[in-house]
Amino acid sequence: MTTEPVPPPDMAAKRILLVDDQEDIRLLLRLALAPLGAELLLATNGAEALRMAQERRPDVIILDVMMPGGLDGYQVCRSLRAETTTPRPFIVLLSAKGQQRDIEEGLRAGADHYMLKPFSPLELNDLIMRSQTA
């Protein structure tokens, strides 16, 4: 008999905002993070991500760097970090842009972590779990 792993009780009360313009990446993120038991919120562009972050106050934001619509992930991250009246979410920039200058720009924008696509779902889960216990 096999049983599903039980998520830590503290993750069940958490919100994770997934922001990516590609539907297949959003699906992969949802499948990868579902075992954590957190509430998963979805956004498809930067403006939607900012609105949802302000309204829903996620604990973690997984944010694509390259998105259409005028706001890229760096800009969204900077805007979120400039907001001082809301709790500070843990922000992971997720991107295919892997040059050192891209990573440095992401960290300067205020990201807590920069992860490259393709990403390891196990590594992402571990990163989120560690961020919530730190």
Side-chain angles (χ1 to χ4, degrees):
M1 181 172 116
T2 62
T3 60
E4 290 287 322
V6 177
D10 57 339
M11 284 307 293
K14 301 291 183 181
R15 284 191 184 110
I16 302 174
L17 175 57
L18 310 174
V19 186
D20 202 294
D21 59 306
Q22 295 181 3
E23 185 175 347
D24 57 335
I25 299 294
R26 288 192 311 272
L27 175 60
L28 180 58
L29 286 167
R30 281 187 11 234
L31 292 172
L33 298 174
L36 294 179
E39 178 183 0
L40 301 178
L41 310 169
L42 303 174
T44 60
N45 60 55
E48 187 178 15
L50 283 175
R51 180 182 53 76
M52 289 186 78
Q54 291 165 347
E55 291 173 3
R56 303 296 305 271
R57 309 229 190 276
D59 301 288
V60 177
I61 300 175
I62 312 297
L63 182 60
D64 185 24
V65 170
M66 297 182 291
M67 293 182 290
L71 286 175
D72 65 21
Y74 300 133
Q75 293 166 309
V76 172
C77 189
R78 281 187 203 96
S79 293
L80 291 169
R81 291 303 186 224
E83 174 62 53
T84 59
T85 61
T86 59
R88 179 184 163 97
F90 184 82
I91 299 176
V92 178
L93 285 176
L94 185 63
S95 181
K97 295 176 73 170
Q99 298 292 322
Q100 187 61 35
R101 68 177 178 268
D102 301 318
I103 296 168
E104 289 170 0
E105 183 175 354
L107 297 175
R108 277 194 309 273
D112 295 292
H113 191 79
Y114 195 102
M115 185 173 276
L116 294 177
K117 292 178 184 176
F119 64 94
S120 160
L122 293 175
E123 183 182 334
L124 182 59
N125 281 357
D126 185 55
L127 175 65
I128 291 171
M129 292 298 296
R130 283 183 289 134
S131 76
Q132 298 304 297
T133 58

